[in-house]
Amino acid sequence: QWVGVLVGIGLALIVSLAKSAVRPVANVVTGGAAAPALSTAEDGASVVLVVLAFVAPVLVLIALAFLLWLFVALIRSIRKKRRAKAAAQASQLA
């Protein structure tokens, strides 16, 4: 029984961390236009993961690993774009 509780805590933590990292960036980039789509995607991912937690807990672990990989890839992409932008601005100033 505790496995389900721990998986639920993990799911909530990952979804919350992803939301708090992606939401501000998306709001700045799109002027808030992406908020409804992001909210729908977050809710859908949460529902799917909860259903998987009940049906096949092993699949939840795989899905969590995928979401974590996706989150890390998104953060790396954002950082890479920021570095490229900063380098372009620095070369224009020089």
Side-chain angles (χ1 to χ4, degrees):
Q1 289 184 1
W2 285 103
V3 173
V5 171
L6 294 176
V7 169
I9 291 170
L11 286 173
L13 179 63
I14 288 176
V15 170
S16 178
L17 288 174
K19 185 188 285 191
S20 65
V22 172
R23 194 57 79 108
V25 175
N27 284 339
V28 168
V29 171
T30 65
L38 283 175
S39 181
T40 302
E42 291 162 359
D43 293 342
S46 295
V47 168
V48 168
L49 289 173
V50 167
V51 169
L52 282 177
F54 284 111
V55 176
V58 173
L59 290 179
V60 171
L61 296 176
I62 294 169
L64 284 174
F66 174 72
L67 285 175
L68 184 61
W69 173 82
L70 190 65
F71 178 69
V72 169
L74 179 66
I75 296 299
R76 286 183 179 173
S77 173
I78 290 169
R79 287 182 179 171
K80 185 176 180 180
K81 288 178 184 179
R82 284 184 182 172
R83 285 186 197 132
K85 186 177 179 180
Q89 289 176 347
S91 67
Q92 289 177 353
L93 295 175

